[in-house]
Amino acid sequence: MKNGVPRGRMRKHLYNVGALFRGLATVFGFMFMRKPTIGYPSVKKQHAPRFHGLHELRRYGDGKERCIGCELCAIACPANAITVIGAENTPSDRRSPGERYAARYEIDELRCIFCGMCEEACPTDAIVLTPRFEMSDYRRGSFIYAKDRLLVPPEAGVGTPPDERPGGIPADLGEVAEIKSTTDIDKGYSATYRGQILKTQRRGLAG
Amino acid sequence: MSWLLVLIKSALLLFVVITTFAYAMLFERKIMGWMQLRPGPNRVGPWGLLQPAADAVKMLFKEDLTPSTADPLIYKLAPFISLVSAFGAYAIIPWSEPRPGDIWSIGNVNAGILFIFALTAIGVYGVSLGGWASGSKYPLLGSVRATAQMISYELAMTMSVIGVLIVAGTTSLAGIVHAQQRIWFVIPQLIGFAIYFVTAVAETNRAPFDLVEADAELVAGFHTEYSGLRFGLFFIAEYVNMLTVSCVATLLFFGGWNAPFGWTFIPGIVWFILKVLFFIFCYIWLRATMPRFRYDRLMAFGWKVLLPVATLNLIATAVVVAVKG
Amino acid sequence: MTLFWILGVLLVASAVFVISQRKPVYSVVGLLFHFAVLAVFFLTLNAEFLAVIQIVIYSGATLILFVFVIALLSSGVAPFSVGPNRMPKAAIPAGLIAFVALALVVYGILRAPLVNAPRAATTSIPGAVGAPNVFGSVADFGKALFTTHLLPFEMTAFILMVAVIGVVALAGETTPFVPSLRRARIIEREMREALLRGGEE
Amino acid sequence: MNEAALPVAIVNYIALSAVILFIGAAGVMLRRNPLIMLMSIELMWNAANLLFLAFARAWLNNAGHIFAFIVITVAAAEAAIGLAIVVVVFRSAQTVDVDEVASLKG
């Protein structure tokens, strides 16, 4: 016996035939085991609370946005998925407690690798990754999440996910003005195209 | 009016066989799923019971493509050859005998088992012509493999069956079943049964002998280029062949409709169906367990192991029968 | 009677189809059909066993060899997808003369004073096809093959053995590839030496 | 109808057999594709077989069946050898035209 295999040609053959039947028995036993499969659309898996899923922009208790438009998340992002364009708060329109707020905040979820660096980079804990993961859609353009879908609505408190708010996600995302301004959904998504638009817009805002 | 009766019987049987095929497919997917720790199809209908209907609808409405390099006539003809030869066997398979002498079958041919061999022989053409006519290299390779494999294993299969014919003393399927009233032939012909079982798997091109399809090397083998309904016909033929070899195994080795342990309170047809189901389960079980053979090993196994053993079994059977009789 | 003529016409038509096709595969399909019709013909002649054997051996083994060779040789350059199709120049006049000759032969046969009525049965009794132990059934054929006509049976075995040896001798591999450890070692040493030489330069 | 009688007179079988034999012979002589020539030879074998069985049925003597059986065997052997020759010739000559293969000519 060497490694459990008997010596000799005939005995080895017999051993192999036995192995066939042991294999069959193993597989037969598998038939009655509990199946680890989750019936996904009807039964959903509960992810860990710190699972890296869809982002959300949070607020303070008084309803002010946490984001101060510092762009640290955009700089930290290894996939260049985040675009932030800040603007000054005015006394009449205070969006955030600081001097600036994010006039435009967009995350391209197709580029995002869900690493959570944005979360770590954020000085005010504004951007967080929620455990939600169901974002599929037929149009590439709809994967660019702007503030309207990222920001927790004021009436929902500080951290309720946007798609649980009373109105839900707008039915036709293509008509959301914010996205329309940066991408042409009908033409299809183009990162370069979008980048160019953003660059000119940023230049315009800066100048 | 006997021809009308035959026609009605045929239509009924066709319906039964098609339904059985559909549910054999579902059965296979379910069992395979369970053996691989999956639930199997469970979306369409309760427990996925309407899955065959969904598959059929999908297959019917898919586009039927003919490659530009294909030979259109043969390409279109091949699936029908496969299908006709697969269904032909049911013309003579006896299902049950509720009263002595009253055998449930469309036709009772004296050379019944030979007729089935003849149909199997025709079935090879569907595979080989289909692969050739596709006009591309994977189907061609698949079909050449299939032809060689099916011819090689047919020899051993015939040899293993002749042992049963010697013991039973008849070639009629009903006669063979009658001869098994005392003892099922699986016991005196155990080696013959083992060889028949293995060669039947090879003959129907199922795992672990599915060299013809060998997804990893040949895409899908002879039916790579087929789509839609024509692919469906090949698919049906494969499953119906599996049913046929299961029926033949039941008839030749497992006593057909004879009840085991004298439990005759259950009708013969139920026994027959149970036995056939058992064989189908075994095929699925094998498929879920065994890895695919290498091609040269397959041919070596067929010619150097199965055929000699089958021949020896045949000679031994003949000697024993001659000495005893 | 009607069956004879239907089958006869099908037989002749498929035979003509076989020899008139440009692609050999079409001929194979034609021949397959021819054999199937012939098997039915054999059934009408009470030759049950021969009908089945016709399909099993002819269609299942012999004819599939043709398909096999076609597939084997049509990989690559596809010489057999069409194949040579030249006809001798004298095909048409020769065919005409032959047709007339054939017509004469058939006429002669039909007119000939051959014995039409069968004599008394010599070995067995005829019966319905499918019934056991009558003329042409498996049992009847087998008994004749293994008792009265044992010598022809042994001759077929001899013929088949000759055929097998002949085919292997003809088409068998001339230089079989034998994976040998020795050869592998030689190749390995040569490669190593080549590498060493390369290092010196 | 008499159980022993043929469906049609034996001469019809002879004529049919002759026609098929003739078609086969024509195929061998007219075609230059070795495969179709071999198939034509098969046609001729089968014409003979048909006649054997017809006579066997007419005389109710199964010697004809035995002969047909031998014919089938011989035909199988012949086809195997013939195809082997075709394969060998194709391997060496790269052609299948029987007139091109003339290396045995003096």
Side-chain angles (χ1 to χ4, degrees):
Chain A
M1 293 285 273
K2 192 185 165 192
N3 300 330
V5 180
R7 280 208 209 101
R9 216 187 157 121
M10 201 60 215
R11 278 158 108 191
K12 206 169 145 191
H13 280 310
L14 281 177
Y15 175 83
N16 289 343
V17 170
L20 286 180
F21 285 99
R22 265 184 290 143
L24 283 170
T26 309
V27 172
F28 192 79
F30 269 40
M31 222 169 71
F32 306 103
M33 281 190 193
R34 214 174 61 80
K35 311 290 176 282
T37 313
I38 296 166
Y40 164 57
S42 46
V43 184
K44 280 181 186 148
K45 191 188 175 189
Q46 277 299 314
H47 285 294
R50 296 178 68 179
F51 178 85
H52 284 176
L54 184 63
H55 306 76
E56 92 181 5
L57 280 172
R58 298 206 293 178
R59 294 177 191 271
Y60 286 113
D62 59 354
K64 294 233 166 51
E65 293 171 21
R66 278 174 175 263
C67 182
I68 53 170
C70 67
E71 295 190 36
L72 276 176
C73 50
I75 292 159
C77 183
N80 272 338
I82 307 181
T83 309
V84 185
I85 295 170
E88 297 282 335
N89 277 320
T90 52
S92 58
D93 179 26
R94 281 203 78 80
R95 302 278 186 89
S96 70
E99 283 175 23
R100 287 159 65 82
Y101 72 102
R104 176 167 293 159
Y105 194 104
E106 284 174 9
I107 299 179
D108 185 348
E109 300 288 1
L110 285 178
R111 299 198 64 154
C112 179
I113 58 169
F114 301 95
C115 61
M117 299 285 245
C118 45
E119 210 175 22
E120 303 215 352
C122 188
T124 58
D125 282 349
I127 182 89
V128 290
L129 293 162
T130 62
R132 282 175 295 125
F133 57 92
E134 292 163 307
M135 316 176 233
S136 38
D137 199 290
Y138 290 103
R139 297 156 302 170
R140 309 200 62 148
S142 67
F143 284 96
I144 296 164
Y145 278 64
K147 264 178 94 174
D148 64 316
R149 284 195 285 167
L150 289 172
L151 193 61
V152 181
E155 67 272 16
V158 286
T160 314
D163 60 0
E164 283 173 34
R165 75 179 107 151
I169 293 181
D172 188 0
L173 297 165
E175 282 174 19
V176 176
E178 199 114 34
I179 295 170
K180 237 184 179 171
S181 63
T182 52
T183 51
D184 190 343
I185 286 173
D186 296 329
K187 273 189 190 169
Y189 173 79
S190 154
T192 340
Y193 173 70
R194 177 167 170 268
Q196 277 166 357
I197 290 180
L198 282 177
K199 231 178 259 173
T200 51
Q201 281 175 346
R202 194 179 291 172
R203 222 177 280 129
L205 278 165
Chain B
M1 294 314 270
S2 72
W3 60 270
L4 192 66
L5 195 67
V6 166
L7 213 62
I8 292 168
K9 274 185 186 171
S10 308
L12 197 71
L13 196 62
L14 198 66
F15 175 77
V16 170
V17 171
I18 292 264
T19 318
T20 319
F21 143 72
Y23 281 92
M25 194 177 73
L26 180 71
F27 186 60
E28 165 151 38
R29 289 173 67 181
K30 272 283 185 195
I31 298 282
M32 289 267 290
W34 292 342
M35 286 178 169
Q36 294 163 354
L37 297 183
R38 297 181 285 117
N42 60 356
R43 289 287 145 196
V44 193
W47 304 290
L49 281 179
L50 295 178
Q51 186 72 38
D55 285 345
V57 169
K58 183 197 78 174
M59 215 163 258
L60 282 175
F61 286 99
K62 272 198 167 178
E63 192 182 354
D64 184 15
L65 292 165
T66 306
S68 58
T69 49
D71 186 315
L73 193 71
I74 308 272
Y75 183 80
K76 285 177 179 140
L77 182 71
F80 290 99
I81 297 181
S82 260
L83 193 75
V84 167
S85 67
F87 275 111
Y90 291 90
I92 58 150
I93 286 181
W95 301 95
S96 178
E97 192 179 21
R99 283 181 305 282
D102 176 22
I103 291 163
W104 282 5
S105 70
I106 293 178
N108 187 14
V109 184
N110 188 32
I113 186 69
L114 297 172
F115 180 78
I116 287 180
F117 281 138
L119 283 168
T120 324
I122 299 281
V124 185
Y125 284 92
V127 174
S128 60
L129 289 178
W132 178 83
S134 295
S136 93
K137 58 173 89 87
Y138 291 126
L140 186 72
L141 286 171
S143 74
V144 170
R145 276 185 176 192
T147 315
Q149 176 185 337
M150 288 166 95
I151 293 176
S152 310
Y153 277 76
E154 210 171 275
L155 282 175
M157 190 186 209
T158 316
M159 285 290 191
S160 67
V161 166
I162 291 176
V164 170
L165 300 189
I166 289 177
V167 179
T170 172
T171 48
S172 139
L173 288 170
I176 291 169
V177 173
H178 283 149
Q180 294 181 73
Q181 264 158 358
R182 207 164 49 81
I183 185 167
W184 292 358
F185 285 159
V186 65
I187 297 161
Q189 286 289 311
L190 187 62
I191 298 169
F193 169 69
I195 292 165
Y196 175 83
F197 189 76
V198 173
T199 49
V201 180
E203 195 65 24
T204 48
N205 297 325
R206 288 182 54 83
F209 298 99
D210 57 344
L211 270 295
V212 178
E213 288 167 23
D215 335 41
E217 316 143 49
L218 295 178
V219 192
F222 65 95
H223 57 62
T224 303
E225 304 288 353
Y226 282 89
S227 62
L229 188 60
R230 280 174 218 287
F231 168 74
L233 295 184
F234 273 131
F235 196 64
I236 294 174
E238 187 195 323
Y239 274 84
V240 171
N241 275 332
M242 187 171 91
L243 286 179
T244 312
V245 293
S246 303
C247 287
V248 173
T250 307
L251 290 169
L252 293 185
F253 296 100
F254 274 70
W257 55 82
N258 287 331
F261 320 117
W263 290 354
T264 42
F265 54 89
I266 300 171
I269 182 83
V270 176
W271 281 119
F272 187 84
I273 289 168
L274 281 178
K275 289 169 188 174
V276 171
L277 269 181
F278 169 73
F279 276 107
I280 291 173
F281 175 78
C282 284
Y283 286 129
I284 296 166
W285 189 10
L286 268 182
R287 187 180 165 191
T289 310
M290 302 295 173
R292 187 177 297 126
F293 262 68
R294 209 172 70 194
Y295 190 65
D296 58 330
R297 293 277 178 92
L298 172 98
M299 290 312 253
F301 185 58
W303 286 101
K304 294 181 186 167
V305 179
L306 288 182
L307 190 58
V309 173
T311 314
L312 285 177
N313 177 55
L314 177 60
I315 293 170
T317 311
V319 167
V320 168
V321 168
V323 168
K324 276 176 79 179
Chain C
M1 182 73 189
T2 339
L3 192 62
F4 174 85
W5 289 112
I6 294 170
L7 291 175
V9 168
L10 284 177
L11 269 185
V12 172
S14 56
V16 170
F17 183 86
V18 168
I19 68 157
S20 61
Q21 286 308 302
R22 205 164 147 68
K23 290 185 176 182
V25 176
Y26 283 57
S27 295
V28 168
V29 174
L31 203 54
L32 185 61
F33 183 72
H34 184 87
F35 288 158
V37 176
L38 209 56
V40 179
F41 221 125
F42 289 178
L43 280 180
T44 67
L45 292 168
N46 289 54
E48 189 189 32
F49 183 72
L50 260 291
V52 177
I53 283 296
Q54 171 82 12
I55 300 284
V56 172
I57 308 267
Y58 251 128
S59 311
T62 311
L63 201 51
I64 203 77
L65 269 183
F66 283 91
V67 182
F68 202 76
V69 169
I70 291 167
L72 213 62
L73 298 188
S74 63
S75 60
V77 287
F80 268 110
S81 62
V82 174
N85 196 35
R86 282 181 310 101
M87 293 258 185
K89 284 205 179 71
I92 294 164
L96 276 176
I97 293 168
F99 183 76
V100 172
L102 175 71
L104 282 174
V105 168
V106 170
Y107 180 78
I109 290 167
L110 291 175
R111 291 272 112 194
L114 278 165
V115 186
N116 272 346
R119 286 182 208 150
T122 49
T123 56
S124 14
I125 46 152
V129 172
N133 301 321
V134 295
F135 174 74
S137 72
V138 185
D140 178 57
F141 179 84
K143 213 167 278 169
L145 188 63
F146 290 114
T147 54
T148 331
H149 303 282
L150 191 62
L151 182 66
F153 176 68
E154 294 295 339
M155 269 166 59
T156 57
F158 182 71
I159 290 166
L160 284 177
M161 183 56 81
V162 170
V164 168
I165 294 170
V167 168
V168 172
L170 268 175
E173 289 277 330
T174 42
T175 49
F177 171 74
V178 184
S180 94
L181 197 62
R182 206 174 125 256
R183 196 182 296 164
R185 285 207 181 112
I186 291 169
I187 291 168
E188 196 192 338
R189 198 175 61 229
E190 281 172 356
M191 283 173 73
R192 204 167 41 233
E193 282 165 1
L195 275 172
L196 284 174
R197 273 200 306 279
E200 282 164 12
E201 280 166 8
Chain D
M1 197 177 87
N2 180 7
E3 198 51 84
L6 279 169
V8 287
I10 189 80
V11 283
N12 292 303
Y13 287 95
I14 303 174
L16 180 64
S17 178
V19 170
I20 294 170
L21 186 88
F22 204 82
I23 294 169
V28 174
M29 286 186 284
L30 294 180
R31 300 303 303 266
R32 280 297 164 266
N33 188 326
L35 287 176
I36 293 181
M37 288 168 77
L38 280 173
M39 280 186 246
S40 304
I41 295 174
E42 301 295 330
L43 280 180
M44 291 159 75
W45 287 118
N46 275 297
N49 257 357
L50 176 62
L51 206 51
F52 274 128
L53 293 187
F55 273 117
R57 176 69 182 77
W59 269 267
L60 284 177
N61 184 335
N62 57 16
H65 289 200
I66 307 291
F67 238 109
F69 179 75
I70 295 179
V71 166
I72 290 178
T73 318
V74 172
E78 171 257 350
I81 300 267
L83 289 170
I85 291 172
V86 170
V87 170
V88 169
V89 165
F90 179 76
R91 259 194 219 149
S92 59
Q94 293 295 313
T95 181
V96 289
D97 191 324
V98 287
D99 284 351
E100 305 269 313
V101 183
S103 53
L104 279 183
K105 252 184 205 165

